[in-house]
Amino acid sequence: MSNHYPFVLAELPYKYDALESVIDRQTVEIHYGKHHQSYVDNLNKILEGMPYLQNKTLEELMNSEVAAIKNNAGGVWNHNFYWQEMKGGEEGEISVDLGKRIEKKFGSLVEFKALFEKNALGRFGSGWGWLVEDNEGELEIMSTANQDNPLSLGKKPLLGIDVWEHAYYLRYQNRRAEYVGSWWKVVNWEWVGKR
Ligand SMILES: [Fe+2]
């Protein structure tokens, strides 16, 4: 996939109803087909009039000082990541390597999940909850507002949950905690472990 203008909507790696155990088909259809698509379209529209930015990568555009570029580039990157890190079918198991690192840092997988959920619930308004790795390879839990991304702070995302209402409102309404708590069932740990 090309990583500069014109950007295209990355393919959804499964069917719209694949995540049904946690995220209903209609939410995926709207979230992917409308929200994610508009970040792609808006970014292309802006860059159309800025030829000098057309060879910049998505990651470079995420650091733009122009809010509309930064927000839409972040929206594209974050949602590419979100669809990839999930999967349908049986609940997966965390890889041995990552499992060990998580235990070392957070005590246990259960404690890690509790902290990750608390952090995602604590994000006021729209944003994302993340598990990231810093330059020294140290794991950290953090959140970002809007479509900001940890990469802009020099941290590499390993896992990220979208806590914008558009990600869960149809099924969960205001119950963000229920969405975040159920979300583990569709995490593609194999993909996450490879990062
Ligand atoms: Fe979203």
Side-chain angles (χ1 to χ4, degrees):
M1 195 181 63
S2 131
N3 195 27
H4 56 76
Y5 174 89
F7 292 97
V8 290
L9 182 64
E11 216 172 297
L12 194 68
Y14 34 73
K15 296 201 172 123
Y16 288 133
D17 61 1
L19 310 174
E20 191 70 42
S21 63
V22 179
I23 305 171
D24 58 285
R25 179 197 173 100
Q26 199 188 2
T27 295
V28 175
E29 269 173 3
I30 298 173
H31 195 179
Y32 171 74
K34 305 285 184 204
H35 292 278
H36 192 177
Q37 179 77 63
S38 7
Y39 293 119
V40 173
D41 293 345
N42 290 339
L43 185 59
N44 284 334
K45 218 173 284 168
I46 298 166
L47 295 180
E48 199 183 340
M50 302 176 131
Y52 51 96
L53 291 181
Q54 290 179 359
N55 60 352
K56 297 275 185 208
T57 65
L58 201 49
E59 288 79 7
E60 288 170 329
L61 294 167
M62 275 156 41
N63 289 324
S64 172
E65 280 165 23
V66 180
I69 296 178
K70 176 187 155 142
N71 291 338
N72 284 295
V76 175
W77 196 103
N78 291 347
H79 289 86
N80 287 348
F81 184 89
Y82 183 66
W83 302 121
Q84 291 287 332
E85 72 180 332
M86 296 189 287
K87 67 171 194 66
E90 297 271 295
E91 185 169 347
E93 260 186 51
I94 193 161
S95 72
V96 178
D97 270 10
L98 183 58
K100 277 189 190 150
R101 291 177 65 195
I102 282 179
E103 267 171 40
K104 192 166 165 233
K105 177 76 188 186
F106 304 104
S108 68
L109 186 58
V110 173
E111 283 169 280
F112 157 71
K113 284 182 175 175
L115 270 176
F116 183 90
E117 289 176 27
K118 191 173 163 214
N119 166 75
L121 296 176
R123 166 50 54 191
F124 183 78
S126 297
W128 292 73
W130 304 97
L131 169 68
V132 299
E133 186 182 80
D134 69 14
N135 285 335
E136 270 93 55
E138 191 78 19
L139 297 179
E140 188 190 325
I141 290 173
M142 62 177 292
S143 73
T144 56
N146 305 315
Q147 295 299 353
D148 291 356
N149 185 291
L151 280 175
S152 307
L153 304 166
K155 295 169 198 267
K156 179 185 169 184
L158 300 183
L159 189 68
I161 184 165
D162 188 345
V163 291
W164 283 56
E165 282 188 345
H166 68 224
Y168 61 86
Y169 204 82
L170 289 180
R171 179 176 286 180
Y172 300 95
Q173 287 88 45
N174 60 327
R175 305 186 307 277
R176 185 190 280 189
E178 212 179 300
Y179 155 69
V180 174
S182 316
W183 185 69
W184 301 109
K185 283 186 221 151
V186 289
V187 169
N188 185 349
W189 284 113
E190 201 188 335
W191 184 84
V192 173
K194 282 185 188 141
R195 286 184 62 81

